[in-house]
Amino acid sequence: MFEWLFKFPLDVYRSAQLDYAFAGPSWVLPGAFIIAAALLAFLLWRRGTLTPIRRVAVFAAQLALVAFVLWLLAQPELVNEQPVAGSNTVALVLDDSASMAYVDDGIDRLATARSRLDDLAERLEDTYNVERALLSNTATPVDRYDEVSAVAAASPLASELATLVSQQRGESLAAVVVASDGLETGADNTAALETLQQAGVPIFALTTGRQSVAEDLALVSAEVPTEAVAGSRFDAIVTIRHDRGGDARLRVLANGDTLLAAETVELDPARSTTQQTVNLTLTDTGFQSLSFELTPLGDEQERRNNRLQRVVDVPERNHRILYFEGEPRWEYKFMRRAIAADDDIVFSSLLRVSPNKFYRQGLEDSTELADGFPTDAEELYQYDAVLLGSVEAAALAPAQQQLLLDFVSVRGGSLLLIAGPNGLGNGGWGESALAPALPTQLPAFGTDTFRRERVSVAPTVYGRSLSALRLSDDSGSGWNDLPDIADHQSVGTLKPAAQTLLSVRTSTGDEPLLVTQPYGRGRSYVFGTGGTWRWQMQLPVADQRHERFWRQLLRTLVTAAPQRESVRAIAADPGLVVEAEFLDDSWQPQLGLAAAVSIVGDGGVEQMALTPAPDQPGVYRGRVFGRGEGIRYLEATALDGDTVVATARAAFAGDSVAIEHRRVRASDTALLAIARASGGAVLTDADPDTLLARLRESAAGVTELRRQSIWDAPAVLLALLLLKTFEWVVRRRWGQI
């Protein structure tokens, strides 16, 4: 209808500029307008029968008619750039990634995309040179799409289209049309989008596929720690993508045959993803393969995305804890008893029994802690965690306090301060060199904040989500019926990065009890009570919640502490980035080493040199192209000359299911970004005529200036008739005819 009224489609008007073909002097038409206005005003003045308001109305109607006639005499026309027939190329790109093989309600995505591109090619061939290409192989055009199958393992939309545009920039490329479900597997598209913006070649996207697939469940991710202590509990955070509510059945297997957990996950119908925290325990040492499996829905078409594999390292080495206590007390005794049976943790304690006299327990040899609290980094850094009990800051020299601060920030160790008459603020730790590492601003020294008051302990909302604070194997957390503690101490004001894990309900309201924050490479904790031993004394002998609390908390402390040598694989596009870090005995970066990594998998052994990372001293990087499948083992070595100075080992699970199968839901997010950057558009259900009109707007390629008159458009003539009719009706009504 618009084109019939105005001669040309709306898209032509949007892209064109208005110009005039009148060849006479520029003053002629404005002069004629002034003369006509003066003449009309004179004639109306001579006829004095109308009121002033009616004279103005008639004058305005007549003047509008005159102005419109003069505008027509100026011969208005649209001026725009249009492609020269036969001199430009349009590239038709078919997304042949594996997700295009999905069938939506009986409609094949790939077949639909092929049909739309083939139909478009027939309509373009009269004006453009048409080239066909596949998204996974844009460097090599194809003649036909008939035999193309959706098998490509990835669809880096932005980067592949940027490559295509760059390669054909000098070949009069007028536009690119891509048919895709919009699934983007590229990592960082910033550079690709900048290339498309600079090229100025519009990219038009024909989308296909459903953005909601109700019959599909997909395991998006499973987050697990890279390391765990044998027998300790840890959290696995599983994310499930879904498009309808209901229940899903999740299983976790260790090494393919040992069932670790089986849970029913309630899927929130108001959300597209649901997270489930699964508590797991591994007893065997070594690299443990974990399989996360969702029971498929009855009508589920793509079932490969119902399984994920992860690896957790359960090292055979012992983790070490140093506990410095300032006075004999029950908390010290029962904590040692709780951890005594843990063969994976060496719990060395230093108990001050009198000034400059200490009682040592849990030592690996007779020289350990012989001179009291460590005075140098080599001795202190052998521990993974340090606990400070009811001991004042003055018990440590300023150099030892600074050493303890470096233990957290540089070595990456864990620090736990436990309340007591001489601990926390009472001990002056808030004014010590260690204060910056603490998660709270402790009360000022000299203010007694240690209170002997019976209060109940409960985890916060965040604390309840942590497996380290779960004291029960059932659906409850195990905290509800614990006996009260009989003492607590103010932990002060929380710092911005602090998180409260446990709280107590006092006579004045809830107060933080266990608080933590990251600091440098490590993490610090403040625990505002020394009275958890009452749980052990007042619970039945068979109730092991006190022991379980301390075992799990202490295991969390030691597993968080990094080692001097480490290696890891990071998913990247393409392939993997391998990072190895090597630190010396004082935990400073080792520079100038020759580093290499061996990757062992089902496909054999792959060896690669690592180069120093410019942004992280002591870190060496390399890229592996191809992620592989199954469990792959890394061994990174660092050489100083011909001498091997460090070795690090790790394992990771190569995803046996391509990301294309994990994300079967269509999306237009990436396509919209590409269209905006290039000046194109995303056309979901548009007919070919709309796309052809948009292609005519493209200023890319070889174009010519085209002038198209619009003075004879039906809408213009209709407007002239309406103006004249209105002017006549006004004069007729007021007796001027």
Side-chain angles (χ1 to χ4, degrees):
M1 183 66 177
F2 184 93
E3 186 174 354
W4 180 85
L5 283 172
F6 294 92
K7 287 186 63 178
F8 308 108
L10 178 61
D11 295 327
V12 174
Y13 279 84
R14 286 173 175 167
S15 62
Q17 293 182 339
L18 183 64
D19 199 0
Y20 300 92
F22 181 72
S26 59
W27 55 266
V28 171
L29 295 178
F33 178 77
I34 295 173
I35 294 173
L39 181 60
L40 289 173
F42 174 76
L43 292 175
L44 283 172
W45 177 76
R46 288 288 303 271
R47 295 182 181 182
T49 58
L50 294 177
T51 64
I53 294 178
R54 291 184 175 182
R55 288 183 190 178
V56 171
V58 172
F59 177 74
Q62 291 178 334
L63 195 61
L65 180 60
V66 170
F68 194 77
V69 171
L70 292 175
W71 181 76
L72 291 179
L73 293 176
Q75 302 176 45
E77 58 186 9
L78 299 178
V79 180
N80 58 8
E81 288 188 78
Q82 293 194 4
V84 178
S87 301
N88 294 283
T89 298
V90 172
L92 304 182
V93 181
L94 175 64
D95 182 355
D96 62 333
S97 59
S99 63
M100 292 289 286
Y102 200 83
V103 178
D104 297 289
D105 291 334
I107 301 175
D108 189 315
R109 293 183 186 178
L110 186 65
T112 301
R114 278 193 307 227
S115 175
R116 295 184 73 180
L117 290 181
D118 286 338
D119 179 55
L120 184 61
E122 292 181 4
R123 306 188 64 169
L124 289 173
E125 286 173 349
D126 292 338
T127 308
Y128 299 93
N129 300 317
V130 176
E131 288 192 1
R132 295 175 173 86
L134 302 178
L135 186 69
S136 63
N137 192 11
T138 54
T140 307
V142 296
D143 295 328
R144 305 174 54 139
Y145 292 135
D146 296 349
E147 299 180 359
V148 173
S149 57
V151 295
S155 51
L157 293 171
S159 59
E160 289 295 337
L161 291 172
T163 300
L164 172 67
V165 170
S166 299
Q167 289 175 341
Q168 300 193 15
R169 184 174 295 177
E171 300 181 10
S172 304
L173 186 62
V176 176
V177 180
V178 56
S180 170
D181 56 11
L183 294 184
E184 167 66 82
T185 58
D188 184 2
N189 294 324
T190 304
L193 293 176
E194 289 178 357
T195 299
L196 293 174
Q197 186 174 20
Q198 294 170 3
V201 177
I203 296 179
F204 299 95
L206 305 178
T207 61
T208 183
R210 288 177 295 160
Q211 297 191 18
S212 176
V213 184
E215 71 275 11
D216 184 72
L217 293 178
L219 275 174
V220 178
S221 64
E223 301 175 19
V224 298
T226 56
E227 182 179 313
V229 179
S232 64
R233 297 172 64 86
F234 63 89
D235 289 334
I237 302 175
V238 179
T239 302
I240 303 171
R241 181 181 287 114
H242 56 90
D243 290 319
R244 67 183 181 190
D247 293 334
R249 189 66 177 168
L250 175 67
R251 298 195 312 159
V252 185
L253 302 174
N255 302 316
D257 54 4
T258 303
L259 182 65
L260 298 181
E263 298 187 3
T264 298
V265 183
E266 184 177 349
L267 305 178
D268 186 351
R271 301 174 62 89
S272 60
T273 59
T274 295
Q275 278 195 342
Q276 179 81 355
T277 300
V278 185
N279 303 127
L280 303 174
T281 302
L282 294 172
T283 56
D284 296 334
T285 58
F287 293 113
Q288 303 297 309
S289 172
L290 304 183
S291 297
F292 296 83
E293 300 177 355
L294 279 174
T295 301
L297 299 173
D299 54 348
E300 191 164 358
Q301 179 188 153
E302 179 56 79
R303 303 190 176 195
R304 286 169 290 189
N305 57 20
N306 290 35
R307 188 175 183 273
L308 268 177
Q309 197 171 24
R310 293 292 182 262
V311 179
V312 177
D313 183 15
V314 184
E316 295 185 13
R317 66 179 178 84
N318 289 328
H319 298 77
R320 306 193 64 190
I321 296 177
L322 169 58
Y323 181 15
F324 182 27
E325 180 58 75
E327 58 181 314
R329 57 178 182 157
W330 291 109
E331 191 78 320
Y332 170 83
K333 173 183 178 180
F334 282 98
M335 189 193 305
R336 283 201 54 85
R337 180 182 295 179
I339 203 69
D342 198 328
D343 296 332
D344 298 300
I345 295 180
V346 178
F347 194 77
S348 303
S349 58
L350 190 66
L351 172 63
R352 186 178 62 187
V353 293
S354 65
N356 299 320
K357 186 174 182 180
F358 303 96
Y359 177 53
R360 298 177 294 156
Q361 288 181 277
L363 309 179
E364 288 197 317
D365 58 65
S366 59
T367 62
E368 184 180 357
L369 304 174
D371 299 324
F373 195 86
T375 57
D376 62 75
E378 183 177 356
E379 184 180 5
L380 182 62
Y381 286 9
Q382 66 180 314
Y383 299 100
D384 298 297
V386 173
L387 280 56
L388 298 177
S390 182
V391 58
E392 65 279 1
L396 299 182
Q400 289 175 302
Q401 296 178 20
Q402 181 62 45
L403 181 63
L404 197 51
L405 181 72
D406 294 340
F407 170 79
V408 180
S409 62
V410 178
R411 187 257 184 263
S414 298
L415 174 68
L416 172 63
L417 270 64
I418 305 172
N422 297 316
L424 301 188
N426 283 14
W429 289 104
E431 289 85 37
S432 70
L434 188 60
L438 302 181
T440 65
Q441 181 60 55
L442 294 173
F445 180 60
T447 303
D448 187 7
T449 60
F450 188 81
R451 287 174 281 178
R452 296 196 179 277
E453 175 188 16
R454 297 183 68 87
V455 290
S456 61
V457 180
T460 62
V461 174
Y462 176 70
R464 287 181 181 274
S465 68
L466 304 178
S467 61
L469 297 181
R470 287 184 62 87
L471 305 184
S472 173
D473 289 325
D474 57 26
S475 58
S477 61
W479 289 88
N480 295 336
D481 58 345
L482 276 177
D484 292 346
I485 56 175
D487 66 75
H488 63 98
Q489 190 169 0
S490 173
V491 299
T493 306
L494 272 64
K495 293 181 180 178
Q499 290 178 305
T500 302
L501 308 182
L502 298 176
S503 62
V504 291
R505 175 153 294 180
T506 69
S507 56
T508 58
D510 290 352
E511 294 183 8
L513 186 72
L514 178 60
V515 185
T516 181
Q517 79 164 8
Y519 184 76
R521 291 169 59 92
R523 181 172 283 274
S524 62
Y525 297 77
V526 168
F527 193 28
T529 184
T532 64
W533 60 272
R534 290 181 177 274
W535 296 343
Q536 177 66 14
M537 291 294 292
Q538 297 179 28
L539 290 171
V541 175
D543 194 323
Q544 296 291 300
R545 278 182 286 176
H546 176 263
E547 289 91 337
R548 184 168 181 170
F549 169 76
W550 279 110
R551 281 200 302 267
Q552 293 180 171
L553 180 58
L554 295 179
R555 288 180 175 206
T556 299
L557 297 184
V558 297
T559 54
Q563 300 303 303
R564 289 195 300 115
E565 301 89 17
S566 64
V567 61
R568 61 175 181 160
I570 308 168
D573 182 29
L576 299 164
V577 171
V578 177
E579 280 191 352
E581 184 175 28
F582 302 103
L583 306 176
D584 59 21
D585 292 340
S586 59
W587 292 75
Q588 296 300 315
Q590 295 198 65
L591 306 178
L593 301 177
V597 65
S598 297
I599 306 174
V600 182
D602 293 339
V605 179
E606 183 177 358
Q607 295 182 331
M608 176 181 60
L610 304 177
T611 57
D615 56 335
Q616 291 180 274
V619 174
Y620 299 80
R621 289 195 187 115
R623 183 182 289 273
V624 180
F625 295 94
R627 301 184 184 181
E629 299 182 3
I631 306 300
R632 304 175 77 188
Y633 300 91
L634 305 176
E635 181 175 272
T637 56
L639 290 84
D640 186 0
D642 295 330
T643 304
V644 177
V645 296
T647 302
R649 295 178 177 85
F652 69 95
D655 195 350
S656 59
V657 177
I659 191 171
E660 291 289 323
H661 300 303
R662 240 174 243 303
R663 299 168 54 194
V664 298
R665 292 156 181 80
S667 171
D668 59 5
T669 303
L671 295 174
L672 284 170
I674 292 170
R676 282 194 296 266
S678 65
V682 175
L683 307 172
T684 306
D685 296 315
D687 57 56
D689 290 334
T690 302
L691 178 56
L692 290 171
R694 296 300 300 269
L695 288 176
R696 285 196 295 267
E697 299 176 27
S698 174
V702 179
T703 61
E704 61 182 359
L705 203 62
R706 186 169 299 179
R707 310 177 73 92
Q708 299 166 302
S709 64
I710 59 172
W711 66 267
D712 56 344
V716 173
L717 299 178
L718 181 61
L720 179 62
L721 179 61
L722 289 175
L723 276 174
K724 179 57 184 174
T725 302
F726 175 76
E727 185 267 346
W728 183 85
V729 169
V730 168
R731 290 193 298 114
R732 175 76 176 179
R733 182 176 182 82
W734 292 337
Q736 293 299 300
I737 297 178

